[in-house]
Amino acid sequence: MMKNIKILTLIFLAMGIFACTDLAEDPVGVLAPDGFFKTENDVEAALYGAYGHMASESYWGRKLSVTIMLRSDMVDIGNPGTPARRIEMNTFSDDAFSGMVSAFWPRAYECISAANTAIYGAEIIDGVSEEERNALIADGKFARSSVYFNLVRLFGDIPYITEAVSDPEALKEISKTPAADVYAGIIEDLEYGKQYLPMTQSSRSRPSAGAAATMLADVYLTLGNYTEAYANAKWVIDHAAELEYALEPDYQVLFDGAQQDGQKEHIFVLDFLGLQSGGSSEGDDLLGPLTGIRNADMLGWGVAVPSMAVYNSFDDRDYRKAVSFDAEALHGGVMKPYTEFAFEKRPHIAKYTRYPGNASAERRYTDFNYAFYRYADVLLMAAEAGNELTGPNAELEGYVNQIRERARNAAGTMNSYPEDVQTGLSKDAFRTMVLEERRIELCFEMKRWWDIKRRNLGDEVFKGTNSLEPQSNFNAAKSYLMALPQDELDRNPNLLPQNSGY
């Protein structure tokens, strides 16, 4: 892919693989597959390397998650002194030299390289049944697909590598793969996972058949294939008991780092380990500091802060508003409302600061399990896709009503809001309602930008009269894709052309 393999960090086989099952241990170094892979445990080590790289500062612990968060209309810049690379992401003024992309792009390909190497190892080891081998391969394909799904949505055509590479020279001439082919590869991998992954896993940080089906539903929803999106979401719903999926009764508990292990609502998570970190930023979770309140007792940085319009768009009767926002905070032991905060005088995101479990004083290195998918998301995907096929009906209304019923439970006190879905809505009105329910239910969980992008809502949400976060730089002809990193293009001209507008 480029001449400098160290900078690319695409692969040299199992670079960064962890030596034990904790996802935040130091890597054991560069491994040669032919000499390393002897047993199932060796393949597991490679898989932990893939997921461990995801649970790192340069991927989900800060760089990629914050990029996706700021790209939406739900999170604005608070602290104006934050580095320009974050402000650029928020204002759609980023370019090919983005410091955010230069961090998460190579880490994404480290994840992919470890997954490819794990797949290779699973294919060559002896002493396992075909069922066990297929499950290991499916695990690696799920890890690979989850990273590629993010990359293809952000950049479009990208380098698509599906084999462990033993000759670094081969990477110098690699070119981009059309986005349609990347999506086809992701679907193929996830179909394999749906067939061969177990129905349940010992931890939600490892994928199951339900996780593969859930991501398939998301991929098809992104592509506008509502038949397959509905079919896969419905498969998960129909098998929820066997998959051990259910809504968590109390919405607040979903964001309590001390209570997240084993939650039935979680379908697939990245598991941070609480005050543990590896040698390459594995385990370093900074969403708490980035979203926390400056000068408060919790020691936040006030970087990613919703606008007042976002806060006011939530109904005060909705328990999810109280869970999602901190509208007051302790300052020197005294509780103060947001109007008296020292710096960003607006409510801040509470999901990653209120109950971090084991963490530093500024809510870093937390115990959080960051849910890539939870069961509420599946219900909403089924409702959205089903509506495109048939229009509203009792089944689809019921999926949304399950979520609203849970929202009426405010830590054991039952409320009357939000009410059940109004019957008799048109297809357009039902679609609008479901997208709004996703905005509220999944707020600050790195979902909103993807909804804006796949529904082409950018002009409406960033330039419309009811915009929650006006961004004049948004350009629908350009901004739905980000610029490919310039240093990659400089090292390998085969990756040209650059995305339009950059």
Side-chain angles (χ1 to χ4, degrees):
M1 182 178 176
M2 64 180 64
K3 295 182 179 180
N4 193 325
I5 298 301
K6 181 178 180 181
I7 295 177
L8 173 64
T9 53
L10 254 178
I11 192 168
F12 193 56
L13 304 172
M15 183 179 297
I17 288 174
F18 299 141
C20 68
T21 58
D22 283 344
L23 299 189
E25 295 295 323
D26 290 330
V28 300
V30 178
L31 308 173
D34 289 326
F36 176 75
F37 288 109
K38 303 296 185 184
T39 69
E40 181 178 349
N41 287 339
D42 299 331
V43 178
E44 290 282 350
L47 291 170
Y48 283 120
Y51 295 118
H53 282 318
M54 293 185 209
S56 67
E57 180 275 336
S58 52
Y59 196 75
W60 210 252
R62 173 158 54 175
K63 292 298 192 303
L64 178 58
S65 58
V66 171
T67 292
I68 298 168
M69 182 184 286
L70 290 174
R71 209 77 175 169
S72 78
D73 64 339
M74 291 289 285
V75 182
D76 204 353
I77 289 292
N79 183 351
T82 197
R85 59 181 177 270
R86 297 172 190 155
I87 297 172
E88 292 163 355
M89 281 298 166
N90 188 60
T91 59
F92 297 99
S93 55
D94 54 299
D95 58 24
F97 299 94
S98 168
M100 303 293 277
V101 176
S102 65
F104 73 70
W105 174 283
R107 181 49 62 102
Y109 279 100
E110 287 181 15
C111 301
I112 291 165
S113 71
N116 285 340
T117 303
I119 294 167
Y120 174 84
E123 291 171 342
I124 66 171
I125 59 171
D126 296 323
V128 295
S129 67
E130 282 306 297
E131 180 181 6
E132 292 168 328
R133 187 188 311 279
N134 289 337
L136 290 169
I137 293 171
D139 203 330
K141 289 186 173 185
F142 179 92
R144 176 171 78 190
S145 294
S146 67
V147 178
Y148 274 131
F149 189 30
N150 285 328
L151 290 176
V152 73
R153 287 183 290 180
L154 288 172
F155 299 101
D157 300 350
I158 52 172
Y160 185 62
I161 301 169
T162 59
E163 295 182 358
V165 179
S166 58
D167 178 14
E169 292 297 311
L171 298 175
K172 295 179 181 179
E173 306 301 327
I174 197 167
S175 60
K176 292 183 294 188
T177 297
D181 294 339
V182 177
Y183 277 114
I186 291 170
I187 290 169
E188 182 179 353
D189 279 355
L190 293 174
E191 290 285 6
Y192 190 95
K194 185 178 176 182
Q195 179 176 357
Y196 290 114
L197 283 168
M199 293 295 279
T200 60
Q201 292 271 32
S202 59
S203 168
R204 298 295 164 96
S205 62
R206 297 297 293 275
S208 65
T214 297
M215 197 187 300
L216 269 172
D218 196 8
V219 171
Y220 281 121
L221 201 64
T222 299
L223 295 174
N225 185 336
Y226 298 112
T227 298
E228 290 299 329
Y230 172 78
N232 280 280
K234 186 66 163 60
W235 185 88
V236 175
I237 293 168
D238 289 344
H239 292 83
E242 186 179 358
L243 293 163
E244 300 180 358
Y245 295 159
L247 293 178
E248 170 61 42
D250 186 343
Y251 187 73
Q252 177 67 83
V253 174
L254 286 167
F255 310 102
D256 185 338
Q259 299 189 62
Q260 288 180 322
D261 289 343
Q263 285 186 0
K264 288 189 175 183
E265 184 159 346
H266 284 172
I267 291 176
F268 178 74
V269 304
L270 285 184
D271 187 355
F272 287 78
L273 298 176
L275 297 175
Q276 297 185 44
S277 63
S280 186
S281 84
E282 290 84 9
D284 192 357
D285 169 22
L286 289 106
L287 285 181
L290 285 161
T291 59
I293 302 163
R294 281 203 287 166
N295 206 45
D297 293 356
M298 68 171 61
L299 299 176
W301 302 345
V303 172
V305 184
S307 68
M308 280 303 304
V310 169
Y311 179 72
N312 291 332
S313 72
F314 283 64
D315 193 294
D316 288 341
R317 297 169 294 173
D318 197 326
Y319 176 56
R320 293 171 294 186
K321 183 174 188 176
V323 170
S324 302
F325 295 89
D326 271 326
E328 58 182 10
L330 290 170
H331 290 69
V334 177
M335 188 66 74
K336 294 185 178 182
Y338 68 85
T339 53
E340 297 180 21
F341 289 176
F343 293 99
E344 292 72 42
K345 297 182 186 299
R346 21 191 233 266
H348 286 49
I349 298 168
K351 285 185 173 180
Y352 310 123
T353 60
R354 189 172 290 164
Y355 300 115
N358 290 321
S360 72
E362 58 186 3
R363 274 59 171 178
R364 187 171 179 175
Y365 303 110
T366 69
D367 268 333
F368 278 126
N369 296 346
Y370 285 97
F372 274 26
Y373 294 106
R374 51 187 179 88
Y375 189 58
D377 198 355
V378 176
L379 294 172
L380 291 171
M381 285 194 284
E384 182 182 351
N387 177 61
E388 298 299 333
L389 300 175
T390 66
N393 57 43
E395 174 202 336
L396 307 181
E397 292 165 358
Y399 295 149
V400 182
N401 286 339
Q402 288 184 50
I403 293 168
R404 293 189 172 187
E405 181 180 7
R406 188 263 298 281
R408 293 195 286 267
N409 172 24
T413 299
M414 298 307 298
N415 297 322
S416 60
Y417 187 91
E419 300 90 353
D420 280 354
V421 174
Q422 178 184 345
T423 59
L425 293 176
S426 68
K427 177 185 284 190
D428 288 347
F430 190 87
R431 179 191 306 118
T432 298
M433 179 274 297
V434 171
L435 289 171
E436 178 67 2
E437 196 71 26
R438 287 182 61 84
R439 189 182 72 85
I440 300 297
E441 171 69 24
L442 304 171
C443 65
F444 316 130
E445 296 179 49
M446 283 63 79
K447 298 286 184 178
R448 176 64 174 170
W449 169 244
W450 303 134
D451 289 353
I452 292 170
K453 175 180 167 62
R454 65 186 175 79
R455 285 294 187 177
N456 295 310
L457 298 175
D459 282 331
E460 175 185 341
V461 302
F462 295 116
K463 294 184 173 181
T465 57
N466 296 319
S467 175
L468 301 175
E469 184 192 331
Q471 296 292 350
S472 60
N473 286 333
F474 178 81
N475 179 353
K478 168 188 174 183
S479 302
Y480 285 128
L481 293 179
M482 292 168 56
L484 295 163
Q486 188 62 47
D487 58 351
E488 304 282 345
L489 303 181
D490 291 343
R491 282 185 287 260
N492 183 2
N494 290 320
L495 299 180
L496 291 167
Q498 176 62 275
N499 284 332
S500 178
Y502 294 99

